């Protein structure tokens, strides 16, 4: 049975799944009171090269197959149940290594199994696919069975977002949000805008105002995530006061905002910290 390679003081567990060709990929189990959540990878490495992301440093090694994606889920779930047989099947976020929509066919096949009554038996709302704005995949998002969508936003300004997410040079915000308008949302379903708060970069009153303008015609929730530094990163985490003040600014513009607590950062298992080329 797969066992965690590292466990955080907050209960977050990081798993490294060996693959048949000698490569490996990471998954992370994050504990929650009611139902845990597992963060799955869709590729070994990633081609998108986001500057704030440790995985981006690896480049793309290869796509995972749908079987490899499903195996991560089943293996982590099995270990979780071995620790406590009363645990419910974990929810899934595709926020591990890779740009999920860049491996669309295998992702789609994996989701089809995960939500099938004879397969993973999950509801589509228990699954979230996160994208950096990979437009060809975004345009096909409605093929994914009604799962939740999360967009790595990080700035309302193209010049700044392009610095963080080079893909934005090819598909700027206007095109990304035009594709988002076509995504079918059920009642009570929102697009999650993931927003890394990076010290001295993207948390001014001007950013809040531009975000309000950008999101005004979209049903969104903003998830604020304080930046998780990793070795070699050129940015830092803002202070708690700065984070709180940015949150207040956004709320004053009537945006729905959540501040995510960072879990697993002591074992390099938090958002943007996964990299299987670094010896743990
Ligand atoms: S943030 Fe996501 S899309 Fe960007 S490099 Fe990292 S894994 Fe790839």
């Amino acid at each position: 049975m797969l066992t965690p390679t590292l466990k955080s003081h907050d209960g977050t567990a990081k798993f490294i799944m060996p693959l048949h060709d000698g490569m490996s990929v990471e998954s992370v189990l994050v504990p929650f009171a009611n139902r845990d959540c597992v963060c799955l990878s869709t590729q070994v490495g990633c081609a998108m090269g986001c500057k704030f992301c440790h995985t981006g440093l690896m480049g793309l090694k290869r796509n995972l197959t749908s079987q490899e994606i499903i195996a991560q889920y089943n293996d982590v779930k099995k270990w979780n149940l071995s620790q406590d047989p009363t645990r419910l099947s974990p929810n899934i976020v595709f926020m591990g290594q890779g740009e999920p929509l860049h491996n669309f066919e295998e992702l789609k096949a994996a989701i089809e199994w995960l939500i099938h009554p004879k397969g993973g038996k999950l509801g589509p709302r228990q699954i979230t696919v996160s994208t950096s704005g990979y437009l060809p995949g975004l345009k096909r998002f409605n093929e994914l069975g009604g799962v939740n969508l999360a967009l790595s936003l990080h700035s309302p300004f193209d010049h700044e977002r392009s610095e963080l997410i080079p893909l934005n040079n090819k598909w700027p915000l206007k095109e990304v949000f035009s594709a988002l308008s076509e995504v079918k949302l059920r009642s009570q379903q929102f697009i999650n805008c993931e927003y890394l708060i990076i010290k001295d970069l993207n948390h001014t009153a001007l950013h809040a105002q531009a975000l309000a303008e950008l999101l005004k015609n979209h049903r969104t929730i903003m998830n604020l995530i304080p930046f998780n530094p990793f070795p070699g990163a050129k940015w830092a985490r803002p202070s708690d006061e700065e984070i709180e003040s940015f949150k207040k600014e956004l709320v004053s513009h009537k945006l729905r905002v959540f501040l995510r607590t960072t879990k697993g950062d002591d074992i390099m298992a938090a958002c943007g910290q996964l990299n299987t080329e670094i010896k743990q």
Side-chain angles (χ1 to χ4, degrees):
M1 185 171 59
L2 202 64
T3 53
T5 42
L6 288 167
K7 265 192 100 175
S8 163
H9 61 83
D10 61 25
T12 301
K14 179 149 97 172
F15 300 81
I16 297 184
M17 189 174 95
L19 303 170
H20 68 88
D21 53 4
M23 295 194 183
S24 59
V25 80
E26 295 184 354
S27 333
V28 178
L29 181 70
V30 186
F32 288 99
N34 296 328
R35 195 186 281 269
D36 302 329
C37 186
V38 58
C39 175
L40 298 181
S41 297
T42 50
Q43 297 178 311
V44 184
C46 184
M48 302 303 133
C50 301
K51 298 293 183 257
F52 52 83
C53 173
H54 208 207
T55 308
L57 294 178
M58 288 174 67
L60 177 65
K61 305 297 178 196
R62 73 165 171 89
N63 283 331
L64 294 186
T65 64
S66 56
Q67 287 89 346
E68 287 169 331
I69 296 170
I70 292 166
Q72 284 173 79
Y73 181 71
N74 285 338
D75 287 352
V76 173
K77 180 176 155 183
K78 196 168 162 191
W79 176 82
N80 205 23
L81 282 173
S82 76
Q83 304 301 298
D84 176 359
T86 67
R87 301 304 293 168
L88 299 170
S89 297
N91 292 338
I92 295 174
V93 290
F94 285 102
M95 285 186 190
Q97 290 181 7
E99 160 57 61
L101 299 183
H102 189 220
N103 185 15
F104 194 88
E105 296 301 339
E106 298 300 321
L107 172 75
K108 183 178 168 184
I111 289 175
E112 279 167 358
W113 185 88
L114 288 163
I115 61 175
H116 197 282
K118 289 188 178 157
K121 301 185 183 67
L122 293 171
R125 300 281 295 276
Q126 288 179 259
I127 300 175
T128 299
V129 173
S130 175
T131 180
S132 56
Y134 186 75
L135 204 64
L138 257 185
K139 287 185 170 170
R140 296 180 62 190
F141 199 86
N142 291 330
E143 293 175 37
L144 297 179
V147 299
N148 301 312
L149 168 61
L151 172 74
S152 294
L153 182 55
H154 312 322
S155 175
F157 303 121
D158 274 320
H159 69 280
E160 204 170 71
R161 188 167 186 267
S162 296
E163 251 182 60
L164 297 166
I165 305 176
L167 192 73
N168 192 76
N169 283 308
K170 192 168 182 186
W171 294 306
L173 285 163
K174 194 170 169 210
E175 290 188 44
V176 168
F177 274 83
S178 158
L180 288 183
S181 305
E182 302 301 319
V183 172
K184 292 192 183 108
L185 298 173
R186 295 176 216 195
S187 61
Q188 299 306 309
Q189 195 174 23
F190 294 83
I191 291 166
N192 291 291
C193 292
E194 310 291 311
Y195 199 94
L196 275 181
I197 320 178
I198 302 173
K199 190 166 178 60
D200 299 333
L201 189 82
N202 60 353
H203 51 94
T204 66
L206 222 55
H207 286 89
Q209 199 181 353
L211 283 164
E213 185 59 28
L214 181 68
L215 304 180
K216 71 179 178 198
N217 295 323
H218 299 272
R219 211 195 301 163
T220 57
I221 289 180
M222 283 206 61
N223 284 316
L224 302 181
I225 312 156
F227 178 66
N228 298 305
F230 55 81
K234 63 175 185 177
W235 292 297
R237 185 189 198 280
S239 68
D240 288 349
E241 293 72 30
E242 287 170 313
I243 292 168
E244 205 45 53
S245 134
F246 186 54
K247 183 182 169 193
K248 274 193 191 139
E249 192 74 37
L250 292 169
V251 170
S252 75
H253 286 285
K254 310 229 175 325
L255 292 170
R256 286 185 192 83
V257 187
F258 284 100
L259 176 58
R260 276 222 230 123
T261 49
T262 306
K263 291 200 174 195
D265 54 342
D266 58 330
I267 58 165
M268 296 289 289
C271 286
Q273 289 187 323
L274 303 185
N275 183 319
T276 34
E277 281 187 333
I278 307 288
K279 292 257 179 301
Q280 307 290 339

